[in-house]
Amino acid sequence: ASPLEYLYAGARMICPDWLEDNYDFLKDEEQCFYVYNGFENLSSVVAKCIKELSEDNDSEMRICRERIRDRISWDSVKSKWRDLYEKQ
């Protein structure tokens, strides 16, 4: 599955800072993800992620899922696929 599918399912992404630029689409979609800058920092980032997941943030999760759905759902991309097919 793609990272977007995991996020749509409610997961959170934790990535090292040297990979952060590879996930600009998360910033563009205003998705919550966590970045650590070294293994000494990783445990505090994981703790922050767990804390935020345990808080009542249903509305934030719903908004994040809607943004992802609007980007990757079949209803959102079928016209692009059709256009691509018809150009062949």
Side-chain angles (χ1 to χ4, degrees):
S2 74
L4 283 176
E5 291 169 325
Y6 283 112
L7 293 170
Y8 186 67
R12 295 289 193 196
M13 181 177 283
I14 300 172
C15 69
D17 59 355
W18 56 273
L19 275 179
E20 182 179 8
D21 291 339
N22 292 335
Y23 296 108
D24 283 340
F25 67 90
L26 295 176
K27 293 176 191 172
D28 295 344
E29 297 294 325
E30 298 180 31
Q31 296 295 316
C32 181
F33 71 104
Y34 302 86
V35 178
Y36 65 95
N37 57 10
F39 285 112
E40 61 280 347
N41 177 255
L42 181 58
S43 61
S44 64
V45 172
V46 171
K48 179 180 178 184
C49 178
I50 292 170
K51 180 180 182 273
E52 289 181 7
L53 281 172
S54 64
E55 294 173 351
D56 184 23
N57 60 358
D58 287 341
S59 61
E60 178 186 338
M61 290 294 291
R62 182 180 45 76
I63 291 168
C64 290
R65 286 181 178 165
E66 288 172 0
R67 287 183 185 134
I68 294 171
R69 183 197 62 222
D70 292 345
R71 180 180 174 140
I72 67 170
S73 72
W74 176 245
D75 289 333
S76 298
V77 299
K78 66 184 174 185
S79 63
K80 294 176 187 174
W81 278 103
R82 186 177 328 132
D83 292 344
L84 184 65
Y85 177 76
E86 290 172 354
K87 288 180 183 178
Q88 298 295 328

